[in-house]
Amino acid sequence: MSSTSGPVRPASLPRRAGRQLRQALGSHRSPLVRPLDRSRGRAWCTAALAILLALTAAVVGALLGYRTVGRDADADLARLRRVDAVVLSTDRHGAAVGSRSAGGYQGRVAAEATWTAPDGQWRTGTIEVHRTAVVGTTVPVWVDEAGLVTDPPTTRAGVAIEAVCVGLAGFTVVGAGVVAALALRLRALDRRADLAWQRSWSRLEPLWSGRASHSPDGAQGD
């Protein structure tokens, strides 16, 4: 018969984990421990090890990503230059615009502006400004070696956030797969346990209830 247990207290979790580990390794010699119990212990231990490895891989991947993307960000910071652009005219009646550097589309419009390129030459082009900007307003922009407006370089804080998000996403995907595999394995073991219990009950119940002595096979002839 199956038994139900109440919620597991946090203080009992280490003892339960230790019992599962001893069952998985075969060092728990209690006569009540069945092979299915050892299989459950191995399933739990394998899942815990997989989660630990996934967490380690996520941390290592986040650190490597931070170093790689950080180097690219430093290279962009050295290559790009921040200059002041002077607004020449704005398209107040045009459609709102925006990009990654603008942080969205709300409240920004295209504007004609001029700025000084790294080579000292004046450049004129279209930039994004706030809708309330007027002619003559000075707007900081980032330009490349050719003097063309580009997105600003990624900050170290942005690199760190991106690396953490990538690591968490990878860990979540792997962790979900491990949990799903553990659930399937435990469900299969539960089905095996139910079948074993049914076979044992069908064999022992007639003897326990006394029906075996009254069955046609056990009846004595006249």
Side-chain angles (χ1 to χ4, degrees):
M1 298 177 63
S2 61
S3 60
T4 58
S5 59
V8 180
R9 296 180 179 179
S12 65
L13 289 177
R15 294 196 299 271
R16 184 174 185 182
R19 185 170 64 251
Q20 294 285 357
L21 180 60
R22 291 194 299 273
Q23 290 178 3
L25 298 177
S27 59
H28 193 61
R29 300 298 182 182
S30 173
L32 298 179
V33 177
R34 303 166 297 174
L36 280 174
D37 295 327
R38 301 191 191 283
S39 297
R40 286 194 182 94
R42 286 192 293 270
W44 278 103
C45 291
T46 302
L49 180 60
I51 291 293
L52 181 60
L53 292 176
L55 179 59
T56 303
V59 172
V60 173
L63 292 177
L64 292 177
Y66 176 79
R67 292 182 58 183
T68 302
V69 180
R71 284 196 299 266
D72 295 339
D74 292 340
D76 287 341
L77 185 60
R79 179 177 59 87
L80 303 180
R81 181 178 175 183
R82 185 175 179 178
V83 299
D84 290 331
V86 179
V87 177
L88 300 178
S89 63
T90 60
D91 185 10
R92 296 184 180 277
H93 302 288
V97 297
S99 66
R100 180 174 65 87
S101 61
Y105 291 84
Q106 184 176 5
R108 302 193 70 83
V109 296
E112 191 77 12
T114 182
W115 60 90
T116 305
D119 58 5
Q121 300 295 322
W122 284 93
R123 298 285 189 275
T124 301
T126 301
I127 64 172
E128 298 169 17
V129 298
H130 194 270
R131 188 179 294 274
T132 59
V134 296
V135 174
T137 301
T138 300
V139 179
V141 294
W142 286 88
V143 296
D144 57 17
E145 299 93 331
L148 301 178
V149 175
T150 185
D151 291 332
T154 305
T155 63
R156 280 288 179 173
V159 173
I161 293 174
E162 182 179 351
V164 170
C165 291
V166 171
L168 285 177
F171 175 74
T172 301
V173 171
V174 175
V178 171
V179 171
L182 176 62
L184 292 176
R185 177 59 175 166
L186 293 179
R187 186 175 300 177
L189 292 175
D190 288 340
R191 287 197 296 265
R192 286 173 54 184
D194 290 340
L195 291 176
W197 184 88
Q198 292 174 8
R199 287 194 296 267
S200 298
W201 180 253
S202 63
R203 184 177 70 256
L204 298 177
E205 190 274 336
L207 300 176
W208 171 74
S209 62
R211 291 191 298 108
S213 61
H214 298 87
S215 63
D217 295 337
Q220 296 180 357
D222 296 337

